[in-house]
Amino acid sequence: MIITIAQLNPYVGDLEKNLEMIKHTLREESIKGTELLVFPELFLVGYPPKGLLERAWFIEKAQEAIEDLQVFSRGFPRTAVLLGTPRVINNALGKGLSNSAVLVGGGEILFEQAKTLLPGYDLFDEQRYFRPATEIDTVDFHGEKLGIFLGEDACFDVQLWPGVKSFLVNPAAELKKKGATLFINLAAFPFYRGAEETIYRLFSEQARQYRIPLVYANQVGANDELVFAGRSFCLDGQGQPLAVLEPFQEQVMTINTEAQGIAASYALQEEVESVYEALVLGIKDYFKKTGFQKALLGLSGGIDSALVCALAVAALGKSNVMGISLPSPFSSHGSVEDSRKLAENLGIEFKVIPISGIYQAYLESLQESFADRPTDITEENIQARIRGNILMAFANKFGYLVLTTGNKSELSVGYC
C-alpha cells in the first residue's frame, strides 16, 4: 500500500487551522497516488486538549470539522485520510468521549477505532476525559486488513515502560487475531531523554513478533511543557525500517509498505543533540502559539544564562532576543563584561542597568526591621527579586516574554 505519513504540528484548540493543514496536505501534488494519508493522535484538536474536552461547543465543532472533511474528501476519491479526534459515544454507561482514529474517504466515515489503553499517570490524564474502547477490530482497505491502534495501545510490554501498570488487554495481539495485515499507530508521545530508543524498540519488536508491517505517525511540536519529537517511521514485517522521518521538524513522507527495510537505515539521534533540539523547539513553539516574537533575559555572566540565551537565539533569531545585565554590589566586573561578550558573539541587543541604587533603597526601607539581625543571605537574595521586577517591566512595556535562567529548585522558591 502507498501510505503518506503527515508528521505535522497541530495547535491545541485551533480546529480551523488543524483542519486546513489536513486539507492542504491532501491537495499537495507530492502525495498524488497515495492511498492513505495518516495524521497523528488527536491531530484535529491538538494534543493534549485537556479541559477543552469538557466544553460541549468544542466537541460540536470537532464533529462539524469531521463532517467538513467528509465533504472535502469527495474531491480526492483515491485517497483516504486517517486522523485522530475525540468522538462522542453513547452506550449503557451513558454519554462520553473516546480518543479515536477515524478513517474518512469518498465523503464517508469508513471506520472508527477508539483507544483502549488510556494513560492516567505522569503527564497524562486521558482517563479523566475518555472512555476506553469496548471493541477492537480491523478494517478492509485497498487489499489490506488495517489494524489501527493509538499511542499507549502499543505499550502492553511494560518492561519497556518502568512504572507503567500492567494492562489486561493487548491491542496488537487482538488485531493480529482478527487478521490484521498492516499495523498503523497514531501517536502523541512526548519527548524525554532516551525516548527515541525505547519507542523504536517497542514497535520494531511488535512488527517482528507478529510479522506485520507497521506505520507509526507521531506528533511533532510543543504545547506548554510538553515537546513532541515526531520521528515517525514505517517498518517491514521483520521490524526493519522502510522510512524514518526527521526529529523535531514537520515532514510529510510517502512510502510503499510492501518494500523491504534495511537495518542500517535507522540511526538514533545523539542524546545531547536531541535534548538541545527539544529545548529549541519548545521555546520556538511557545512563542509562535502564544503570538509573541521577542524574548528577553537577564545575563549574569554565568553558564545558566549563557545557555538559555543561546537557545533563545537558535529558536527565535538574534534580532528577537535582548540580554540585560543588572549589576549589584555583589556583582564582579567579569559578570558584566562576560555578558557583553556573549551578546556580541550572539549578535543580540544588550543593555546594562545597574541596580545598586534600588538595592540600597531596599536596605534603607528594611533597616529598622532588620536592626538586630546580622547581614546574611537575605540581603543577597533581594537582588534577584529586583532583577525580576526590572525584567518584567521591560517585558510589559515592549511586549517581550521573559525567559527564566534558573533551575527548578530556584524556580520553586521564587528565586528567579
Side-chain angles (χ1 to χ4, degrees):
M1 182 182 295
I2 306 301
I3 291 182
T4 297
I5 300 175
Q7 178 180 284
L8 298 178
N9 186 352
Y11 284 61
V12 170
D14 197 335
L15 292 159
E16 291 183 5
K17 184 183 288 290
N18 298 337
L19 179 59
E20 181 51 40
M21 276 194 273
I22 296 170
K23 291 180 177 180
H24 176 78
T25 308
L26 199 50
R27 294 188 201 103
E28 284 289 306
E29 188 67 24
S30 61
I31 74 160
K32 191 174 182 180
T34 289
E35 297 168 87
L36 183 62
L37 175 59
V38 182
F39 291 86
E41 179 179 5
L42 288 177
F43 184 84
L44 185 61
V45 297
Y47 192 96
K50 294 189 176 181
L52 286 170
L53 296 170
E54 297 177 333
R55 308 284 184 176
W57 63 265
F58 184 74
I59 300 304
E60 289 173 9
K61 284 189 173 294
Q63 173 60 35
E64 290 170 4
I66 290 293
E67 293 169 358
D68 187 328
L69 181 60
Q70 287 178 244
V71 174
F72 187 78
S73 71
R74 292 173 187 158
F76 304 86
R78 297 183 179 180
T79 304
V81 177
L82 180 63
L83 74 156
T85 183
R87 297 290 282 171
V88 175
I89 54 176
N90 286 281
N91 54 34
L93 298 175
K95 189 174 180 180
L97 291 176
S98 64
N99 177 354
S100 291
V102 178
L103 182 62
V104 178
E108 299 180 4
I109 293 177
L110 305 176
F111 181 73
E112 296 184 41
Q113 177 61 60
K115 190 173 184 176
T116 304
L117 307 180
L118 300 174
Y121 59 90
D122 196 23
L123 300 170
F124 305 98
D125 56 0
E126 289 187 33
Q127 293 177 4
R128 175 180 177 181
Y129 302 108
F130 297 116
R131 290 194 177 142
T134 56
E135 184 177 1
I136 299 172
D137 208 350
T138 60
V139 58
D140 293 317
F141 183 80
H142 285 230
E144 299 275 8
K145 272 190 177 292
L146 304 183
I148 300 167
F149 54 130
L150 293 101
E152 214 81 3
D153 285 348
C155 300
F156 187 78
D157 187 353
V158 295
Q159 293 181 357
L160 288 172
W161 305 88
V164 177
K165 69 177 182 179
S166 179
F167 297 112
L168 299 177
V169 180
N170 183 345
E174 291 297 314
L175 292 168
K176 170 68 174 178
K177 288 179 185 176
K178 297 204 171 182
T181 58
L182 177 63
F183 283 152
I184 302 179
N185 184 278
L186 312 188
F189 282 130
F191 169 82
Y192 62 87
R193 191 175 64 178
E196 182 185 0
E197 181 179 8
T198 299
I199 290 169
Y200 179 68
R201 281 175 52 208
L202 173 72
F203 284 111
S204 62
E205 288 180 11
Q206 285 188 342
R208 186 164 52 250
Q209 177 183 354
Y210 299 113
R211 297 188 177 280
I212 295 176
L214 185 148
V215 174
Y216 164 68
N218 191 36
Q219 179 173 308
V220 70
N223 293 314
D224 289 339
E225 76 276 22
L226 298 180
V227 178
F228 302 87
R231 204 57 161 164
S232 307
F233 49 72
C234 179
L235 307 174
D236 67 14
Q238 302 302 314
Q240 303 297 345
L242 296 170
V244 182
L245 279 65
E246 295 295 327
F248 302 105
Q249 58 184 273
E250 292 186 299
Q251 188 178 4
V252 176
M253 181 180 286
T254 300
I255 62 262
N256 185 343
T257 61
E258 295 179 4
Q260 182 137 4
I262 303 172
S265 66
Y266 192 108
L268 295 173
Q269 190 177 26
E270 198 276 324
E271 192 173 271
V272 173
E273 179 186 14
S274 71
V275 172
Y276 170 82
E277 290 196 16
L279 290 168
V280 170
L281 179 58
I283 295 168
K284 181 186 293 185
D285 255 24
Y286 191 89
F287 276 73
K288 181 175 71 173
K289 292 179 178 180
T290 56
F292 285 86
Q293 293 181 318
K294 295 180 179 290
L296 70 88
L297 67 159
L299 295 180
S300 67
I303 194 168
D304 291 351
S305 61
L307 174 60
V308 175
C309 192
L311 291 168
V313 169
L316 308 172
K318 61 185 180 182
S319 63
N320 292 317
V321 180
M322 176 193 290
I324 302 179
S325 177
L326 300 148
S328 76
F330 296 99
S331 301
S332 67
H333 174 74
S335 69
V336 177
E337 291 311 308
D338 287 351
S339 297
R340 191 189 308 277
K341 186 64 175 177
L342 173 73
E344 290 174 358
N345 289 342
L346 293 175
I348 66 169
E349 185 177 358
F350 179 68
K351 292 182 181 297
V352 179
I353 302 176
I355 64 170
S356 294
I358 302 172
Y359 178 72
Q360 289 302 322
Y362 266 71
L363 294 184
E364 290 171 10
S365 297
L366 296 168
Q367 186 174 12
E368 183 177 345
S369 298
F370 288 2
D372 298 328
R373 301 274 181 168
T375 300
D376 56 18
I377 197 70
T378 303
E379 283 75 14
E380 188 171 342
N381 282 349
I382 287 172
Q383 64 181 346
R385 276 74 182 187
I386 294 171
R387 288 170 173 147
N389 280 323
I390 292 175
L391 292 173
M392 285 307 302
F394 264 82
N396 294 160
K397 185 65 70 175
F398 299 107
Y400 286 77
L401 278 181
V402 177
L403 295 181
T404 181
T405 60
N407 58 45
K408 287 187 176 180
S409 296
E410 293 171 328
L411 194 63
S412 68
V413 297
Y415 186 77
C416 59

